[in-house]
Amino acid sequence: MAEIGVAGVVHSGLPLPGLAAPLVIAIEIVLPLLFIAGWRLREVGLLLGLYTLATGVIAHQFWVAPDAQFGNQFNHFFKNVAICGGFLLAAWQAQRGAGAPPAP
């Protein structure tokens, strides 16, 4: 699995792929688990939102994609933007103290 992660990081052009790949894997496992558990939703939601937006900008650069890949990259970029919006909304809700309504 680490080889696949490193190959993806090398392909994306990030520096220090041997260091970045384990960090990315840890972020993609630990932060969602913390988010699901509801631990510090504001901070974790903000981190996940920023991470999701950054991955969209780094990995789905539709503005420089060849014509054959433009639509695919465009869709994936804006998918990341939408997911980022969901994380930011959750962080905002957590800050307001407006969590899920109580169960009936």
Side-chain angles (χ1 to χ4, degrees):
M1 181 171 159
E3 294 83 20
I4 295 170
V6 172
V9 171
V10 168
H11 178 70
S12 70
L14 287 174
L16 301 171
L19 178 64
L23 181 63
V24 165
I25 291 169
I27 288 171
E28 290 184 356
I29 292 172
V30 173
L31 286 181
L33 290 174
L34 294 175
F35 186 82
I36 290 168
W39 185 79
R40 300 184 67 117
L41 274 177
R42 186 182 72 151
E43 293 84 357
V44 173
L46 285 172
L47 287 173
L48 281 169
L50 291 173
Y51 176 77
T52 304
L53 187 60
T55 58
V57 170
I58 292 168
H60 303 299
Q61 299 177 357
F62 68 90
W63 52 92
V64 295
D67 290 341
Q69 295 180 5
F70 176 83
N72 186 34
Q73 294 301 326
F74 182 86
N75 287 339
H76 283 293
F77 176 81
F78 282 102
K79 168 210 38 135
N80 280 39
V81 171
I83 293 170
C84 172
F87 283 132
L88 295 179
L89 177 63
W92 178 68
Q93 291 277 341
Q95 181 176 350
R96 291 182 58 227

